[in-house]
């Protein structure tokens, strides 16, 4: 499973940080950061989700009020918009 985080879309509500510790508040920028992610495109960060964090990653995506987080299974099917 992988997660994609569009940091440009992020509005800094930080709801994702309460759901998964891989998301951190960046108060200086007013946006969240996704730890251990690689920047795939400008402001689009991608990382693999460990099996023990799959539920938390999905919850982080579900609570994002601006849909800046998407979760995909290993076949590339989007699980959470």
């Amino acid at each position: 499973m992988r997660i994609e985080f569009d940091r440009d879309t992020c509005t800094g509500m930080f709801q994702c940080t309460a759901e998964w510790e891989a998301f951190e508040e960046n108060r200086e920028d007013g946006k969240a950061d996704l730890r251990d992610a690689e920047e795939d495109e400008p402001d689009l960060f991608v990382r693999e989700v460990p099996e023990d964090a799959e539920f938390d990653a999905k919850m982080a995506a579900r609570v994002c009020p601006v849909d800046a987080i998407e979760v995909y299974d290993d076949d590339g099917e989007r699980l959470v918009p």
Side-chain angles (χ1 to χ4, degrees), residues 42-77:
D43 282 328
L44 181 66
F45 294 86
V46 179
R47 70 168 275 182
E48 291 297 314
V49 177
E51 283 186 35
D52 64 343
E54 289 180 357
F55 178 80
D56 295 339
K58 289 177 188 175
M59 287 304 298
R62 286 188 181 108
V63 300
C64 180
V66 294
D67 297 327
I69 304 167
E70 295 181 340
V71 178
Y72 296 88
D73 68 14
D74 293 333
D75 295 323
E77 295 285 327

PDB file of all heavy atoms in Angstrom, residues 42-77:
ATOM      1  N   PRO A  42       6.516  18.081  -8.044  1.00  0.00           N
ATOM      2  CA  PRO A  42       6.542  19.224  -7.123  1.00  0.00           C
ATOM      3  C   PRO A  42       5.333  19.203  -6.171  1.00  0.00           C
ATOM      4  O   PRO A  42       4.185  19.134  -6.614  1.00  0.00           O
ATOM      5  CB  PRO A  42       6.497  20.446  -8.052  1.00  0.00           C
ATOM      6  CG  PRO A  42       7.123  19.951  -9.324  1.00  0.00           C
ATOM      7  CD  PRO A  42       6.686  18.518  -9.432  1.00  0.00           C
ATOM      8  N   ASP A  43       5.621  19.189  -4.877  1.00  0.00           N
ATOM      9  CA  ASP A  43       4.628  19.182  -3.804  1.00  0.00           C
ATOM     10  C   ASP A  43       3.755  17.925  -3.746  1.00  0.00           C
ATOM     11  O   ASP A  43       2.738  17.920  -3.057  1.00  0.00           O
ATOM     12  CB  ASP A  43       3.734  20.427  -3.849  1.00  0.00           C
ATOM     13  CG  ASP A  43       4.438  21.635  -3.268  1.00  0.00           C
ATOM     14  OD1 ASP A  43       5.259  21.473  -2.339  1.00  0.00           O
ATOM     15  OD2 ASP A  43       4.162  22.745  -3.734  1.00  0.00           O
ATOM     16  N   LEU A  44       4.122  16.849  -4.443  1.00  0.00           N
ATOM     17  CA  LEU A  44       3.414  15.573  -4.333  1.00  0.00           C
ATOM     18  C   LEU A  44       4.368  14.555  -3.703  1.00  0.00           C
ATOM     19  O   LEU A  44       5.361  14.169  -4.315  1.00  0.00           O
ATOM     20  CB  LEU A  44       2.931  15.066  -5.688  1.00  0.00           C
ATOM     21  CG  LEU A  44       2.169  13.748  -5.640  1.00  0.00           C
ATOM     22  CD1 LEU A  44       0.851  13.919  -4.899  1.00  0.00           C
ATOM     23  CD2 LEU A  44       1.927  13.214  -7.037  1.00  0.00           C
ATOM     24  N   PHE A  45       4.063  14.158  -2.481  1.00  0.00           N
ATOM     25  CA  PHE A  45       4.931  13.273  -1.715  1.00  0.00           C
ATOM     26  C   PHE A  45       4.329  11.885  -1.623  1.00  0.00           C
ATOM     27  O   PHE A  45       3.128  11.737  -1.387  1.00  0.00           O
ATOM     28  CB  PHE A  45       5.166  13.860  -0.321  1.00  0.00           C
ATOM     29  CG  PHE A  45       5.951  15.138  -0.367  1.00  0.00           C
ATOM     30  CD1 PHE A  45       5.320  16.359  -0.562  1.00  0.00           C
ATOM     31  CD2 PHE A  45       7.331  15.111  -0.266  1.00  0.00           C
ATOM     32  CE1 PHE A  45       6.050  17.530  -0.629  1.00  0.00           C
ATOM     33  CE2 PHE A  45       8.066  16.276  -0.334  1.00  0.00           C
ATOM     34  CZ  PHE A  45       7.428  17.489  -0.523  1.00  0.00           C
ATOM     35  N   VAL A  46       5.167  10.873  -1.811  1.00  0.00           N
ATOM     36  CA  VAL A  46       4.722   9.478  -1.876  1.00  0.00           C
ATOM     37  C   VAL A  46       5.583   8.635  -0.946  1.00  0.00           C
ATOM     38  O   VAL A  46       6.794   8.844  -0.848  1.00  0.00           O
ATOM     39  CB  VAL A  46       4.847   8.940  -3.322  1.00  0.00           C
ATOM     40  CG1 VAL A  46       4.417   7.501  -3.407  1.00  0.00           C
ATOM     41  CG2 VAL A  46       4.067   9.813  -4.291  1.00  0.00           C
ATOM     42  N   ARG A  47       4.947   7.676  -0.294  1.00  0.00           N
ATOM     43  CA  ARG A  47       5.702   6.701   0.502  1.00  0.00           C
ATOM     44  C   ARG A  47       4.891   5.430   0.645  1.00  0.00           C
ATOM     45  O   ARG A  47       3.672   5.422   0.484  1.00  0.00           O
ATOM     46  CB  ARG A  47       6.090   7.249   1.866  1.00  0.00           C
ATOM     47  CG  ARG A  47       4.946   7.442   2.820  1.00  0.00           C
ATOM     48  CD  ARG A  47       5.394   7.701   4.234  1.00  0.00           C
ATOM     49  NE  ARG A  47       5.650   6.446   4.928  1.00  0.00           N
ATOM     50  CZ  ARG A  47       6.011   6.366   6.184  1.00  0.00           C
ATOM     51  NH1 ARG A  47       6.180   7.437   6.915  1.00  0.00           N
ATOM     52  NH2 ARG A  47       6.214   5.196   6.749  1.00  0.00           N
ATOM     53  N   GLU A  48       5.592   4.368   0.937  1.00  0.00           N
ATOM     54  CA  GLU A  48       4.948   3.092   1.231  1.00  0.00           C
ATOM     55  C   GLU A  48       4.394   3.149   2.654  1.00  0.00           C
ATOM     56  O   GLU A  48       4.966   3.789   3.528  1.00  0.00           O
ATOM     57  CB  GLU A  48       5.946   1.940   1.087  1.00  0.00           C
ATOM     58  CG  GLU A  48       6.385   1.685  -0.334  1.00  0.00           C
ATOM     59  CD  GLU A  48       5.249   1.260  -1.238  1.00  0.00           C
ATOM     60  OE1 GLU A  48       4.445   0.386  -0.836  1.00  0.00           O
ATOM     61  OE2 GLU A  48       5.158   1.799  -2.351  1.00  0.00           O
ATOM     62  N   VAL A  49       3.306   2.440   2.851  1.00  0.00           N
ATOM     63  CA  VAL A  49       2.681   2.379   4.172  1.00  0.00           C
ATOM     64  C   VAL A  49       3.001   1.018   4.777  1.00  0.00           C
ATOM     65  O   VAL A  49       2.674  -0.012   4.174  1.00  0.00           O
ATOM     66  CB  VAL A  49       1.154   2.563   4.065  1.00  0.00           C
ATOM     67  CG1 VAL A  49       0.501   2.435   5.429  1.00  0.00           C
ATOM     68  CG2 VAL A  49       0.816   3.899   3.415  1.00  0.00           C
ATOM     69  N   PRO A  50       3.621   0.983   5.939  1.00  0.00           N
ATOM     70  CA  PRO A  50       3.868  -0.303   6.591  1.00  0.00           C
ATOM     71  C   PRO A  50       2.547  -1.001   6.918  1.00  0.00           C
ATOM     72  O   PRO A  50       1.536  -0.338   7.175  1.00  0.00           O
ATOM     73  CB  PRO A  50       4.605   0.076   7.885  1.00  0.00           C
ATOM     74  CG  PRO A  50       5.063   1.478   7.692  1.00  0.00           C
ATOM     75  CD  PRO A  50       4.140   2.100   6.712  1.00  0.00           C
ATOM     76  N   GLU A  51       2.563  -2.327   6.902  1.00  0.00           N
ATOM     77  CA  GLU A  51       1.332  -3.089   7.155  1.00  0.00           C
ATOM     78  C   GLU A  51       0.671  -2.714   8.468  1.00  0.00           C
ATOM     79  O   GLU A  51      -0.553  -2.630   8.551  1.00  0.00           O
ATOM     80  CB  GLU A  51       1.616  -4.593   7.116  1.00  0.00           C
ATOM     81  CG  GLU A  51       1.758  -5.137   5.727  1.00  0.00           C
ATOM     82  CD  GLU A  51       1.885  -6.649   5.711  1.00  0.00           C
ATOM     83  OE1 GLU A  51       1.244  -7.316   6.555  1.00  0.00           O
ATOM     84  OE2 GLU A  51       2.615  -7.149   4.849  1.00  0.00           O
ATOM     85  N   ASP A  52       1.472  -2.459   9.497  1.00  0.00           N
ATOM     86  CA  ASP A  52       0.894  -2.145  10.802  1.00  0.00           C
ATOM     87  C   ASP A  52       0.339  -0.724  10.884  1.00  0.00           C
ATOM     88  O   ASP A  52      -0.261  -0.344  11.892  1.00  0.00           O
ATOM     89  CB  ASP A  52       1.909  -2.381  11.918  1.00  0.00           C
ATOM     90  CG  ASP A  52       3.120  -1.465  11.839  1.00  0.00           C
ATOM     91  OD1 ASP A  52       3.364  -0.858  10.775  1.00  0.00           O
ATOM     92  OD2 ASP A  52       3.828  -1.355  12.851  1.00  0.00           O
ATOM     93  N   ALA A  53       0.494   0.066   9.810  1.00  0.00           N
ATOM     94  CA  ALA A  53      -0.001   1.443   9.809  1.00  0.00           C
ATOM     95  C   ALA A  53      -1.083   1.674   8.753  1.00  0.00           C
ATOM     96  O   ALA A  53      -1.512   2.805   8.542  1.00  0.00           O
ATOM     97  CB  ALA A  53       1.153   2.405   9.580  1.00  0.00           C
ATOM     98  N   GLU A  54      -1.548   0.608   8.107  1.00  0.00           N
ATOM     99  CA  GLU A  54      -2.514   0.771   7.027  1.00  0.00           C
ATOM    100  C   GLU A  54      -3.803   1.438   7.486  1.00  0.00           C
ATOM    101  O   GLU A  54      -4.313   2.345   6.831  1.00  0.00           O
ATOM    102  CB  GLU A  54      -2.799  -0.569   6.350  1.00  0.00           C
ATOM    103  CG  GLU A  54      -1.621  -1.067   5.536  1.00  0.00           C
ATOM    104  CD  GLU A  54      -1.867  -2.393   4.856  1.00  0.00           C
ATOM    105  OE1 GLU A  54      -2.950  -3.001   5.055  1.00  0.00           O
ATOM    106  OE2 GLU A  54      -0.973  -2.831   4.114  1.00  0.00           O
ATOM    107  N   PHE A  55      -4.342   1.027   8.613  1.00  0.00           N
ATOM    108  CA  PHE A  55      -5.572   1.618   9.125  1.00  0.00           C
ATOM    109  C   PHE A  55      -5.372   3.102   9.410  1.00  0.00           C
ATOM    110  O   PHE A  55      -6.204   3.949   9.035  1.00  0.00           O
ATOM    111  CB  PHE A  55      -6.055   0.885  10.384  1.00  0.00           C
ATOM    112  CG  PHE A  55      -7.296   1.479  10.976  1.00  0.00           C
ATOM    113  CD1 PHE A  55      -8.547   1.191  10.440  1.00  0.00           C
ATOM    114  CD2 PHE A  55      -7.223   2.340  12.061  1.00  0.00           C
ATOM    115  CE1 PHE A  55      -9.703   1.752  10.961  1.00  0.00           C
ATOM    116  CE2 PHE A  55      -8.371   2.901  12.600  1.00  0.00           C
ATOM    117  CZ  PHE A  55      -9.614   2.615  12.049  1.00  0.00           C
ATOM    118  N   ASP A  56      -4.274   3.449  10.063  1.00  0.00           N
ATOM    119  CA  ASP A  56      -3.988   4.845  10.402  1.00  0.00           C
ATOM    120  C   ASP A  56      -3.814   5.704   9.150  1.00  0.00           C
ATOM    121  O   ASP A  56      -4.291   6.846   9.105  1.00  0.00           O
ATOM    122  CB  ASP A  56      -2.742   4.946  11.275  1.00  0.00           C
ATOM    123  CG  ASP A  56      -2.925   4.291  12.631  1.00  0.00           C
ATOM    124  OD1 ASP A  56      -4.081   4.105  13.067  1.00  0.00           O
ATOM    125  OD2 ASP A  56      -1.907   3.961  13.271  1.00  0.00           O
ATOM    126  N   ALA A  57      -3.157   5.177   8.139  1.00  0.00           N
ATOM    127  CA  ALA A  57      -2.970   5.918   6.891  1.00  0.00           C
ATOM    128  C   ALA A  57      -4.307   6.175   6.213  1.00  0.00           C
ATOM    129  O   ALA A  57      -4.568   7.285   5.720  1.00  0.00           O
ATOM    130  CB  ALA A  57      -2.034   5.154   5.959  1.00  0.00           C
ATOM    131  N   LYS A  58      -5.170   5.187   6.199  1.00  0.00           N
ATOM    132  CA  LYS A  58      -6.500   5.359   5.610  1.00  0.00           C
ATOM    133  C   LYS A  58      -7.304   6.399   6.383  1.00  0.00           C
ATOM    134  O   LYS A  58      -8.000   7.227   5.789  1.00  0.00           O
ATOM    135  CB  LYS A  58      -7.261   4.036   5.597  1.00  0.00           C
ATOM    136  CG  LYS A  58      -6.729   3.028   4.601  1.00  0.00           C
ATOM    137  CD  LYS A  58      -7.508   1.734   4.726  1.00  0.00           C
ATOM    138  CE  LYS A  58      -6.914   0.617   3.914  1.00  0.00           C
ATOM    139  NZ  LYS A  58      -7.617  -0.659   4.149  1.00  0.00           N
ATOM    140  N   MET A  59      -7.203   6.370   7.696  1.00  0.00           N
ATOM    141  CA  MET A  59      -7.932   7.348   8.506  1.00  0.00           C
ATOM    142  C   MET A  59      -7.405   8.763   8.257  1.00  0.00           C
ATOM    143  O   MET A  59      -8.181   9.708   8.184  1.00  0.00           O
ATOM    144  CB  MET A  59      -7.842   6.994   9.989  1.00  0.00           C
ATOM    145  CG  MET A  59      -8.681   5.800  10.377  1.00  0.00           C
ATOM    146  SD  MET A  59     -10.435   5.966   9.960  1.00  0.00           S
ATOM    147  CE  MET A  59     -10.884   7.379  10.965  1.00  0.00           C
ATOM    148  N   ALA A  60      -6.107   8.908   8.127  1.00  0.00           N
ATOM    149  CA  ALA A  60      -5.530  10.220   7.839  1.00  0.00           C
ATOM    150  C   ALA A  60      -6.094  10.770   6.530  1.00  0.00           C
ATOM    151  O   ALA A  60      -6.415  11.959   6.431  1.00  0.00           O
ATOM    152  CB  ALA A  60      -4.004  10.133   7.779  1.00  0.00           C
ATOM    153  N   ALA A  61      -6.226   9.904   5.536  1.00  0.00           N
ATOM    154  CA  ALA A  61      -6.791  10.331   4.252  1.00  0.00           C
ATOM    155  C   ALA A  61      -8.266  10.690   4.397  1.00  0.00           C
ATOM    156  O   ALA A  61      -8.726  11.682   3.826  1.00  0.00           O
ATOM    157  CB  ALA A  61      -6.610   9.235   3.204  1.00  0.00           C
ATOM    158  N   ARG A  62      -8.994   9.905   5.151  1.00  0.00           N
ATOM    159  CA  ARG A  62     -10.437  10.153   5.301  1.00  0.00           C
ATOM    160  C   ARG A  62     -10.750  11.463   6.016  1.00  0.00           C
ATOM    161  O   ARG A  62     -11.746  12.105   5.713  1.00  0.00           O
ATOM    162  CB  ARG A  62     -11.087   8.993   6.046  1.00  0.00           C
ATOM    163  CG  ARG A  62     -11.228   7.769   5.196  1.00  0.00           C
ATOM    164  CD  ARG A  62     -12.053   6.683   5.885  1.00  0.00           C
ATOM    165  NE  ARG A  62     -12.143   5.524   5.021  1.00  0.00           N
ATOM    166  CZ  ARG A  62     -11.510   4.381   5.234  1.00  0.00           C
ATOM    167  NH1 ARG A  62     -10.766   4.230   6.313  1.00  0.00           N
ATOM    168  NH2 ARG A  62     -11.634   3.382   4.396  1.00  0.00           N
ATOM    169  N   VAL A  63      -9.923  11.853   6.969  1.00  0.00           N
ATOM    170  CA  VAL A  63     -10.228  13.061   7.745  1.00  0.00           C
ATOM    171  C   VAL A  63      -9.721  14.349   7.093  1.00  0.00           C
ATOM    172  O   VAL A  63     -10.070  15.429   7.548  1.00  0.00           O
ATOM    173  CB  VAL A  63      -9.695  12.976   9.198  1.00  0.00           C
ATOM    174  CG1 VAL A  63     -10.310  11.798   9.921  1.00  0.00           C
ATOM    175  CG2 VAL A  63      -8.186  12.938   9.245  1.00  0.00           C
ATOM    176  N   CYS A  64      -8.942  14.241   6.046  1.00  0.00           N
ATOM    177  CA  CYS A  64      -8.421  15.448   5.393  1.00  0.00           C
ATOM    178  C   CYS A  64      -9.583  16.228   4.767  1.00  0.00           C
ATOM    179  O   CYS A  64     -10.260  15.716   3.867  1.00  0.00           O
ATOM    180  CB  CYS A  64      -7.397  15.081   4.323  1.00  0.00           C
ATOM    181  SG  CYS A  64      -6.723  16.539   3.488  1.00  0.00           S
ATOM    182  N   PRO A  65      -9.806  17.456   5.219  1.00  0.00           N
ATOM    183  CA  PRO A  65     -10.960  18.216   4.724  1.00  0.00           C
ATOM    184  C   PRO A  65     -10.824  18.698   3.279  1.00  0.00           C
ATOM    185  O   PRO A  65     -11.816  19.077   2.672  1.00  0.00           O
ATOM    186  CB  PRO A  65     -11.054  19.394   5.687  1.00  0.00           C
ATOM    187  CG  PRO A  65      -9.678  19.568   6.225  1.00  0.00           C
ATOM    188  CD  PRO A  65      -9.067  18.191   6.250  1.00  0.00           C
ATOM    189  N   VAL A  66      -9.625  18.663   2.721  1.00  0.00           N
ATOM    190  CA  VAL A  66      -9.420  19.141   1.346  1.00  0.00           C
ATOM    191  C   VAL A  66      -8.962  18.021   0.408  1.00  0.00           C
ATOM    192  O   VAL A  66      -8.533  18.291  -0.713  1.00  0.00           O
ATOM    193  CB  VAL A  66      -8.437  20.331   1.304  1.00  0.00           C
ATOM    194  CG1 VAL A  66      -9.027  21.541   2.005  1.00  0.00           C
ATOM    195  CG2 VAL A  66      -7.087  19.955   1.890  1.00  0.00           C
ATOM    196  N   ASP A  67      -9.043  16.770   0.858  1.00  0.00           N
ATOM    197  CA  ASP A  67      -8.670  15.606   0.039  1.00  0.00           C
ATOM    198  C   ASP A  67      -7.257  15.702  -0.532  1.00  0.00           C
ATOM    199  O   ASP A  67      -7.020  15.387  -1.697  1.00  0.00           O
ATOM    200  CB  ASP A  67      -9.680  15.379  -1.086  1.00  0.00           C
ATOM    201  CG  ASP A  67     -11.065  15.052  -0.564  1.00  0.00           C
ATOM    202  OD1 ASP A  67     -11.160  14.406   0.508  1.00  0.00           O
ATOM    203  OD2 ASP A  67     -12.056  15.437  -1.216  1.00  0.00           O
ATOM    204  N   ALA A  68      -6.321  16.100   0.317  1.00  0.00           N
ATOM    205  CA  ALA A  68      -4.928  16.202  -0.107  1.00  0.00           C
ATOM    206  C   ALA A  68      -4.191  14.867   0.006  1.00  0.00           C
ATOM    207  O   ALA A  68      -3.036  14.763  -0.393  1.00  0.00           O
ATOM    208  CB  ALA A  68      -4.202  17.251   0.727  1.00  0.00           C
ATOM    209  N   ILE A  69      -4.872  13.837   0.538  1.00  0.00           N
ATOM    210  CA  ILE A  69      -4.236  12.543   0.797  1.00  0.00           C
ATOM    211  C   ILE A  69      -5.016  11.450   0.084  1.00  0.00           C
ATOM    212  O   ILE A  69      -6.239  11.365   0.205  1.00  0.00           O
ATOM    213  CB  ILE A  69      -4.202  12.251   2.312  1.00  0.00           C
ATOM    214  CG1 ILE A  69      -3.507  13.390   3.065  1.00  0.00           C
ATOM    215  CG2 ILE A  69      -3.527  10.911   2.579  1.00  0.00           C
ATOM    216  CD1 ILE A  69      -3.705  13.334   4.566  1.00  0.00           C
ATOM    217  N   GLU A  70      -4.296  10.608  -0.658  1.00  0.00           N
ATOM    218  CA  GLU A  70      -4.908   9.460  -1.325  1.00  0.00           C
ATOM    219  C   GLU A  70      -4.133   8.209  -0.955  1.00  0.00           C
ATOM    220  O   GLU A  70      -2.910   8.242  -0.828  1.00  0.00           O
ATOM    221  CB  GLU A  70      -4.912   9.648  -2.837  1.00  0.00           C
ATOM    222  CG  GLU A  70      -5.770  10.812  -3.295  1.00  0.00           C
ATOM    223  CD  GLU A  70      -5.788  10.983  -4.797  1.00  0.00           C
ATOM    224  OE1 GLU A  70      -4.877  10.468  -5.488  1.00  0.00           O
ATOM    225  OE2 GLU A  70      -6.715  11.644  -5.285  1.00  0.00           O
ATOM    226  N   VAL A  71      -4.850   7.101  -0.805  1.00  0.00           N
ATOM    227  CA  VAL A  71      -4.241   5.821  -0.453  1.00  0.00           C
ATOM    228  C   VAL A  71      -4.539   4.825  -1.572  1.00  0.00           C
ATOM    229  O   VAL A  71      -5.681   4.736  -2.036  1.00  0.00           O
ATOM    230  CB  VAL A  71      -4.790   5.300   0.896  1.00  0.00           C
ATOM    231  CG1 VAL A  71      -4.186   3.949   1.226  1.00  0.00           C
ATOM    232  CG2 VAL A  71      -4.507   6.301   2.013  1.00  0.00           C
ATOM    233  N   TYR A  72      -3.509   4.072  -1.985  1.00  0.00           N
ATOM    234  CA  TYR A  72      -3.624   3.109  -3.074  1.00  0.00           C
ATOM    235  C   TYR A  72      -3.164   1.729  -2.600  1.00  0.00           C
ATOM    236  O   TYR A  72      -2.217   1.626  -1.819  1.00  0.00           O
ATOM    237  CB  TYR A  72      -2.750   3.528  -4.261  1.00  0.00           C
ATOM    238  CG  TYR A  72      -3.188   4.828  -4.896  1.00  0.00           C
ATOM    239  CD1 TYR A  72      -2.726   6.045  -4.437  1.00  0.00           C
ATOM    240  CD2 TYR A  72      -4.076   4.819  -5.955  1.00  0.00           C
ATOM    241  CE1 TYR A  72      -3.116   7.236  -5.014  1.00  0.00           C
ATOM    242  CE2 TYR A  72      -4.482   6.009  -6.551  1.00  0.00           C
ATOM    243  CZ  TYR A  72      -4.010   7.208  -6.083  1.00  0.00           C
ATOM    244  OH  TYR A  72      -4.418   8.383  -6.648  1.00  0.00           O
ATOM    245  N   ASP A  73      -3.822   0.687  -3.113  1.00  0.00           N
ATOM    246  CA  ASP A  73      -3.359  -0.661  -2.796  1.00  0.00           C
ATOM    247  C   ASP A  73      -2.174  -1.008  -3.691  1.00  0.00           C
ATOM    248  O   ASP A  73      -1.734  -0.199  -4.513  1.00  0.00           O
ATOM    249  CB  ASP A  73      -4.502  -1.686  -2.910  1.00  0.00           C
ATOM    250  CG  ASP A  73      -4.998  -1.919  -4.322  1.00  0.00           C
ATOM    251  OD1 ASP A  73      -4.343  -1.516  -5.299  1.00  0.00           O
ATOM    252  OD2 ASP A  73      -6.075  -2.531  -4.450  1.00  0.00           O
ATOM    253  N   ASP A  74      -1.652  -2.220  -3.531  1.00  0.00           N
ATOM    254  CA  ASP A  74      -0.456  -2.626  -4.266  1.00  0.00           C
ATOM    255  C   ASP A  74      -0.685  -2.757  -5.768  1.00  0.00           C
ATOM    256  O   ASP A  74       0.260  -2.791  -6.550  1.00  0.00           O
ATOM    257  CB  ASP A  74       0.090  -3.937  -3.705  1.00  0.00           C
ATOM    258  CG  ASP A  74       0.631  -3.757  -2.295  1.00  0.00           C
ATOM    259  OD1 ASP A  74       1.052  -2.621  -1.951  1.00  0.00           O
ATOM    260  OD2 ASP A  74       0.642  -4.733  -1.526  1.00  0.00           O
ATOM    261  N   ASP A  75      -1.961  -2.849  -6.185  1.00  0.00           N
ATOM    262  CA  ASP A  75      -2.283  -2.925  -7.609  1.00  0.00           C
ATOM    263  C   ASP A  75      -2.549  -1.561  -8.235  1.00  0.00           C
ATOM    264  O   ASP A  75      -2.896  -1.470  -9.400  1.00  0.00           O
ATOM    265  CB  ASP A  75      -3.501  -3.821  -7.824  1.00  0.00           C
ATOM    266  CG  ASP A  75      -3.228  -5.262  -7.435  1.00  0.00           C
ATOM    267  OD1 ASP A  75      -2.103  -5.740  -7.662  1.00  0.00           O
ATOM    268  OD2 ASP A  75      -4.141  -5.914  -6.890  1.00  0.00           O
ATOM    269  N   GLY A  76      -2.421  -0.508  -7.430  1.00  0.00           N
ATOM    270  CA  GLY A  76      -2.647   0.837  -7.928  1.00  0.00           C
ATOM    271  C   GLY A  76      -4.089   1.302  -7.853  1.00  0.00           C
ATOM    272  O   GLY A  76      -4.415   2.376  -8.346  1.00  0.00           O
ATOM    273  N   GLU A  77      -4.954   0.503  -7.235  1.00  0.00           N
ATOM    274  CA  GLU A  77      -6.354   0.895  -7.075  1.00  0.00           C
ATOM    275  C   GLU A  77      -6.472   1.873  -5.910  1.00  0.00           C
ATOM    276  O   GLU A  77      -5.926   1.625  -4.828  1.00  0.00           O
ATOM    277  CB  GLU A  77      -7.229  -0.333  -6.781  1.00  0.00           C
ATOM    278  CG  GLU A  77      -7.288  -1.329  -7.905  1.00  0.00           C
ATOM    279  CD  GLU A  77      -8.150  -0.870  -9.054  1.00  0.00           C
ATOM    280  OE1 GLU A  77      -9.157  -0.151  -8.821  1.00  0.00           O
ATOM    281  OE2 GLU A  77      -7.817  -1.218 -10.199  1.00  0.00           O
TER     282      GLU A  77
END
